[in-house]
Structures are given as structure tokens and as C-alpha cells.
Amino acid sequence: MKKPAGNTRQTAAAAKAPAGKPALAETTEGFPWPSAHEIKKESNPFTDRDWRMLVYAWSGMAVRLAIIFTLMFSVYQFLANQEQKRVEQTMSLVELWENKDYQQAQRALKDRLTGLNAKYDNLLSANPSPTEEQVFRQRIGIEAMTASGGDMPLADFTENFDRIVYFLNRLSFCVDGDLCSRKVTDAYFRDYAVSFWSYFAGYVDKQRKAGSPTFASAIETYVRNGPPTAEAK
């Protein structure tokens, strides 16, 4: 007797299936049933016919705009206050610069440099190049720091010179630390600082080589990092 063809398990499963209902094939993937309802689009509250929705929408927009404006105004006010503090700090240095001791130091440097410029005026051509003028000024600055550089005793002149160096260093630190207003500082002090450096850069270099590597470094930073200006004689 021949055995029935096919798998005995498939035959058993077919035998158990109810009559009139075909057995469902086994699958490894399932798919969601498509919804019979279309997705409803959200209505725009700004175009809604209901006046309550319109009031709600526009009031919400007004609140958001008010918050944004308040934040922007707060940032602006903070920056303005910071700049005001920097201006006040700069003006305190201006008042210090007009102090009697600093006025005396300024006159001492001016008188000494004026005398040396007049003494060696014949060594400079009528139309000197920038390099020639730079060398000429640095030589005058070096001689100003000697006993023969002027009528004032060298010890007294050195005291006045050190006072100017201290002030310009302090000024540079204030600007570099963003504690002073660069715009106001430049308006009051840049020309003087540039002129001072043009005369005494050579002397400063000698002092650094002699064992003071950071001597007047803050002044140099302020002069070199600022906007270019014409050097005042």
C-alpha cells in the first residue's frame, strides 16, 4: 500500500481546519489596516470665523512679541550699562591725568624733548623718510634719559618719566581688560601714547635687554593694537 504524498503535518493541519473555511497561510510580516477616515487638517486660528479663536490667536502672538521685545531691550540695556561703566572708568583716568603731579611730569618730558629737538634739528633733512624720522626720535629719547639730556637733574627727570610710564601702562591694562572705553581712551590719550613710544621705544628696548624684559610692554601693546594715527611731534 502506497503512503500518501506530502508532509504528514500539513495533512493533519488540513484535516483539523473547519469545513468551508480555508486555512490562513502563515506570514512573517504584518501590515496595519488602512484607516477608513482621512486625516483631518488642523484649522488656522488666525483665519477662523469664531471671534473667540481670533482673540486667542492674536493675544498669544502679542504675548510672544512682548517677550521677545523685553529680552532684546534687556540685552541692549545691559550692554549700554557696561559701556557707561567703561566710559566712567576712562573719565576717572582723565581726571588723574590732569592731576598736578602728572601735569608736572608731562611738562618735564615736553621741555626735555623740545630742547633736544631744537639742538639736533640740523641733523634731520627737510623731508625725512619715516625711517629717518623714527631713528632720529629714538636717538633723542635715548639721550633724554642721560644726565646731558636737559637742564633738569636726571634723577628728577627719571621720576617724572617713571610716572608717565606708570600711567600709560595702567591705561593700557584698563583698555586691554575691557574696563575702559577704547573710543574715549583713544580720543584722549592715543596721540600722546604714540608720540611717547616713538621717542622712547629705543630706550625701552635697552632696558629690556638690560634685565627688564616686560618694561613698558603694556604701552607697546596699546600703541600697536590701536587704529593707525599720525605720530605727533
Side-chain angles (χ1 to χ4, degrees):
M1 183 175 179
K2 294 183 179 180
K3 294 182 181 181
N7 193 308
T8 57
R9 294 182 179 178
Q10 293 179 351
T11 305
K16 292 180 181 180
K21 293 185 179 181
L24 296 177
E26 295 182 359
T27 59
T28 57
E29 296 182 359
F31 298 94
W33 290 97
S35 174
H37 303 282
E38 294 183 358
I39 299 175
K40 185 178 179 181
K41 296 182 179 179
E42 295 184 0
S43 61
N44 187 347
F46 293 97
T47 59
D48 200 290
R49 295 182 179 181
D50 189 347
W51 66 270
R52 291 171 298 182
M53 290 297 297
L54 290 174
V55 171
Y56 173 77
W58 286 107
S59 61
M61 177 63 71
V63 170
R64 292 184 180 91
L65 291 176
I67 293 174
I68 294 173
F69 175 78
T70 302
L71 291 175
M72 293 178 63
F73 180 76
S74 299
V75 172
Y76 169 78
Q77 192 174 31
F78 172 77
L79 295 177
N81 290 337
Q82 291 296 104
E83 180 61 20
Q84 181 64 28
K85 291 179 180 178
R86 286 191 284 266
V87 172
E88 292 175 357
Q89 182 66 26
T90 306
M91 295 310 298
S92 68
L93 289 178
V94 173
E95 293 178 3
L96 181 63
W97 186 242
E98 295 174 352
N99 182 277
K100 178 181 177 181
D101 292 337
Y102 285 103
Q103 290 291 312
Q104 177 182 340
Q106 294 173 56
R107 285 194 299 270
L109 263 69
K110 181 179 179 181
D111 292 344
R112 206 169 185 91
L113 294 177
T114 299
L116 290 173
N117 271 295
K119 180 179 179 180
Y120 296 109
D121 185 54
N122 59 332
L123 299 180
L124 198 63
S125 61
N127 296 310
S129 66
T131 301
E132 292 174 342
E133 188 172 2
Q134 180 181 5
V135 172
F136 176 76
R137 289 189 174 193
Q138 290 189 13
R139 288 180 177 177
I140 286 181
I142 291 174
E143 184 168 346
M145 301 305 298
T146 62
S148 60
D151 297 331
M152 180 179 290
L154 181 59
D156 295 338
F157 178 76
T158 300
E159 182 179 352
N160 288 304
F161 175 82
D162 290 342
R163 185 174 287 115
I164 297 296
V165 170
Y166 167 79
F167 179 87
L168 293 179
N169 275 330
R170 179 177 174 180
L171 180 75
S172 177
F173 288 134
C174 191
V175 174
D176 188 58
D178 202 26
L179 301 176
C180 288
S181 170
R182 176 173 288 276
K183 181 179 179 180
V184 179
T185 301
D186 288 348
Y188 276 97
F189 300 109
R190 171 152 294 279
D191 287 345
Y192 188 90
V194 170
S195 180
F196 176 89
W197 186 255
S198 69
Y199 279 107
F200 294 104
Y203 173 76
V204 169
D205 185 61
K206 290 182 62 177
Q207 291 298 107
R208 291 175 179 177
K209 292 178 180 178
S212 301
T214 61
F215 180 70
S217 59
I219 303 175
E220 182 179 12
T221 299
Y222 174 69
V223 170
R224 298 192 185 282
N225 291 350
T229 57
E231 292 183 356
K233 289 187 177 181

